[in-house]
Amino acid sequence: MRFVSFFETQSRPLGTNVELNILNLVPCADSRKETGQTTAPGNPLISAVFYPKEYSSIAKSFWQHSGEGISTRRAELCHQAFIDDFLIPSFNDQRGRSGRGLTATNLSFKGPRRYQKGSVANGTVRESTSESVLEVSVPKESSRNIDECAQFVEERYGRNLDFFLAPNAKLAIRKRIAGGLTTDINLEQTAEVALSSASVRRVPGFSEDDVYLYPSGMSSIFNTHRIMMACKEKWGPGCQFYGNGSAEDLDDLEKRCARGERFLALFCEFPGNPLLKCPDLRRIRALADRFDFAVVVDETIGNFLNIHVLPHADVIVSSLTKVFSGDSNVMGGSSILNPSGRFYKRLKETMGLEYEDNYWAEDALFMERNSRDFVARIARINRNAEAICDCLKASRYVKDVYYPKYSSTRHFYDQYRTPAGGYGGLLSVTFRTRLEAIAFYDALETAKGPSLGTNFTLSCPYTLLAHYTELNWAAQYGVEPELVRMSIGLEDAAALCSAVERALAAVAQVKPSRGLHLTGT
């Protein structure tokens, strides 16, 4: 288990030998007898690791930075199965070895109502994976208690989804990410839809087979790093962080490499968050080829409809949780291999050995349904974001607006902007005093929260949320404490601009106060 290995490595310097206990929840034998089914030895359905509470920070670090774990939908099914005694505990040793572990092959579960096939009628569905089939039966009395409102929500927002279609949903997502599936399709016919050569990512030999799905965006980054290490047979001592992504940063990287220092890979966003600056990918590519390191680009904020960066990357990663989904009800991530990249053959071979499809079936079904109108949503979000930027830039109360179109690195962005692409839906704004920033944020009539890429406009005091305990560290990279980040949604542009104007009017009411200026002006 990767967590156990990480925990041991991180706790060893503390000078203690920490004993871990692993609990596997496995299908019980009685439930198999009831259904007349048999199961073979294999992996448990779900596992939990127990550790002393004083080591919680180590466990949190793994969870926070690896993206590993299970989704709430998977947890919901397993929780109900545990309550109904279809899953039973099986404690193993520290390495997770047990002779009692069982694969959930043809096992019946009582589960949430949405796991039934069809509408709200009684029935049974099965969720197929490479290792198991979950058969979920729904008690008759549970469906009788569902009112018309709940039924409408279930049908309107995609909760009645046939698990048999999960593999097709994953294929549709991969084709959509590959750029060759831009229309709504019948999932039963997904395999028959060929990629259009005009809309693929314009890299020779590229197909949906080079797209890999993960449970979250962080998981795609973590596993890309893990695959890189396995591919190049390296385990680095740490990382070198370049917080500005500037020419000076690349000068320093080049000097380090020229002196003999070696790097596994360079990871970067395009554009970055929250200042929306873009690094010089062409120079990065040249340095990578010269000094033999890989380039991994996170295109989440730019997204592949606006920018085309695959030719200069070895791997593209993205959080599908954000604008690709838009509906804020499912998580997911992806990584894409560049078949023209210098490490492609080794990466592809390593993926064949190391990749695990842990994307929960129901999450895949939600993600596929949410992303069907991805193309239309991006176009509208691009327009709305530019309108908001224009409104902010016209105000004398605004200090800076951070957006790729108005950035000093716009020329780097434009090198990769697609013919119909815009500048995305994320922007940040700063004011001259703390009180003005507070007034603007408090009066801004949008949803408030730390995510981005939602179908509705979402604002947050980014630095305070993301770097509250390290404000001085963030400030050295130009990220001010009172920066307000806005992720623009699908609302009417005029209504959004009116909301921003009202917030700016609140700023105008702020009386100057000594000692609160951020810049000394």
Side-chain angles (χ1 to χ4, degrees):
M1 296 176 65
R2 286 192 286 271
F3 171 78
V4 172
S5 176
F6 175 85
F7 193 97
E8 290 176 342
T9 301
Q10 296 298 312
S11 61
R12 190 176 298 121
L14 301 179
T16 56
N17 184 18
V18 182
E19 184 70 22
L20 300 179
N21 288 310
I22 298 177
L23 169 65
N24 294 326
L25 294 178
V26 301
C28 67
D30 290 342
S31 67
R32 289 182 286 126
K33 291 178 182 178
E34 290 177 6
T35 60
Q37 305 291 343
T38 59
T39 59
N43 296 325
L45 185 63
I46 189 171
S47 298
V49 181
F50 296 86
Y51 51 85
K53 64 179 181 180
E54 56 265 29
Y55 295 93
S56 295
S57 60
I58 295 177
K60 178 186 176 183
S61 179
F62 180 85
W63 170 79
Q64 181 179 3
H65 298 293
S66 72
E68 304 274 70
I70 63 173
S71 73
T72 53
R73 292 186 178 91
R74 186 171 193 169
E76 182 182 19
L77 175 63
C78 292
H79 178 251
Q80 187 61 50
F82 180 72
I83 291 176
D84 292 341
D85 294 327
F86 286 106
L87 285 179
I88 60 174
S90 174
F91 280 96
N92 293 339
D93 64 18
Q94 184 159 331
R95 288 295 179 182
R97 294 183 291 264
S98 172
R100 298 182 60 195
L102 300 174
T103 300
T105 304
N106 297 326
L107 176 65
S108 294
F109 285 101
K110 297 176 182 177
R113 183 183 62 78
R114 67 167 173 271
Y115 288 91
Q116 58 187 302
K117 184 177 181 179
S119 181
V120 294
N122 295 327
T124 300
V125 299
R126 300 191 307 165
E127 187 247 329
S128 300
T129 68
S130 60
E131 294 184 352
S132 64
V133 178
L134 297 185
E135 192 171 280
V136 184
S137 58
V138 182
K140 292 182 179 180
E141 59 271 18
S142 66
S143 62
R144 297 196 192 103
N145 297 328
I146 301 171
D147 58 26
E148 291 182 0
C149 179
Q151 179 178 349
F152 170 79
V153 172
E154 293 274 330
E155 294 176 348
R156 169 64 180 82
Y157 294 101
R159 297 176 72 86
N160 290 307
L161 300 169
D162 189 346
F163 268 33
F164 276 121
L165 296 177
N168 287 19
K170 292 182 180 182
L171 179 58
I173 294 171
R174 287 165 46 223
K175 287 189 173 184
R176 199 161 286 143
I177 294 170
L181 180 59
T182 58
T183 58
D184 198 350
I185 61 167
N186 186 332
L187 279 183
E188 294 179 352
Q189 301 172 342
T190 303
E192 303 171 10
V193 178
L195 291 183
S196 168
S197 59
S199 54
V200 193
R201 294 194 182 220
R202 302 189 302 280
V203 172
F206 177 74
S207 74
E208 70 272 13
D209 292 335
D210 295 315
V211 180
Y212 298 84
L213 302 181
Y214 292 94
S216 67
M218 195 67 239
S219 178
S220 70
I221 296 173
F222 171 77
N223 280 286
T224 296
H225 180 256
R226 186 175 63 83
I227 295 297
M228 285 284 183
M229 291 191 296
C231 168
K232 301 188 73 174
E233 299 181 348
K234 293 182 179 179
W235 185 275
C239 71
Q240 173 65 37
F241 179 69
Y242 290 111
N244 292 310
S246 61
E248 292 74 17
D249 284 346
L250 293 182
D251 289 342
D252 182 76
L253 174 63
E254 184 173 8
K255 291 177 183 177
R256 287 172 176 268
C257 291
R259 290 196 302 262
E261 193 169 349
R262 290 294 175 259
F263 294 88
L264 172 73
L266 184 149
F267 288 72
C268 67
E269 293 179 295
F270 197 93
N273 176 31
L275 300 184
L276 288 304
K277 296 189 296 183
C278 296
D280 185 351
L281 280 186
R282 291 183 178 176
R283 185 178 176 191
I284 290 173
R285 180 72 266 168
L287 291 174
D289 292 340
R290 178 182 169 190
F291 295 110
D292 194 39
F293 60 81
V295 177
V296 182
V297 179
D298 186 339
E299 68 173 13
T300 301
I301 296 174
N303 81 71
F304 63 85
L305 291 182
N306 288 328
I307 56 173
H308 179 49
V309 296
L310 185 57
H312 283 79
D314 293 288
V315 183
I316 296 289
V317 294
S318 183
S319 173
L320 306 181
T321 309
K322 308 303 192 299
V323 72
F324 186 80
S325 167
D327 265 345
S328 313
N329 62 357
V330 66
M331 297 179 70
S334 66
S335 67
I336 302 170
L337 305 185
N338 179 0
S340 298
R342 61 187 299 167
F343 302 112
Y344 176 76
K345 183 178 179 181
R346 280 185 283 171
L347 285 171
K348 194 71 173 177
E349 291 173 350
T350 307
M351 277 290 200
L353 297 172
E354 298 283 340
Y355 174 72
E356 299 174 85
D357 182 2
N358 290 322
Y359 199 27
W360 183 239
E362 191 186 10
D363 293 328
L365 288 164
F366 271 72
M367 182 64 72
E368 190 284 321
R369 178 166 291 195
N370 291 353
S371 61
R372 291 179 185 179
D373 60 352
F374 176 58
V375 175
R377 286 190 287 110
I378 292 301
R380 182 164 182 171
I381 287 172
N382 287 341
R383 294 193 298 270
N384 283 355
E386 289 202 33
I388 296 301
C389 282
D390 291 342
C391 180
L392 290 169
K393 288 182 69 65
S395 173
R396 65 188 180 92
Y397 301 107
V398 171
K399 177 186 174 187
D400 283 306
V401 175
Y402 298 96
Y403 189 62
K405 183 177 180 179
Y406 304 111
S407 170
S408 60
T409 63
R410 173 178 172 171
H411 57 291
F412 292 140
Y413 187 99
D414 284 344
Q415 288 174 359
Y416 299 94
R417 188 157 64 98
T418 61
Y423 293 92
L426 194 68
L427 61 95
S428 297
V429 57
T430 57
F431 297 84
R432 299 190 182 280
T433 71
R434 180 179 296 114
L435 289 181
E436 289 178 348
I438 292 172
F440 176 82
Y441 183 75
D442 287 349
L444 187 59
E445 298 168 0
T446 68
K448 307 291 175 66
S451 189
L452 59 94
T454 51
N455 288 340
F456 50 88
T457 297
L458 188 63
S459 305
C460 75
Y462 172 83
T463 318
L464 295 179
L465 290 180
H467 302 290
Y468 183 74
T469 61
E470 49 189 14
L471 295 179
N472 291 334
W473 174 85
Q476 69 179 308
Y477 298 110
V479 181
E480 297 180 4
E482 286 78 17
L483 177 144
V484 176
R485 192 186 71 180
M486 298 181 67
S487 173
I488 307 302
L490 298 172
E491 300 93 339
D492 177 74
L496 283 175
C497 288
S498 294
V500 170
E501 291 288 0
R502 290 191 293 272
L504 291 171
V507 175
Q509 300 303 311
V510 176
K511 296 180 180 180
S513 177
R514 284 188 172 184
L516 291 176
H517 289 279
L518 300 177
T519 61
T521 56

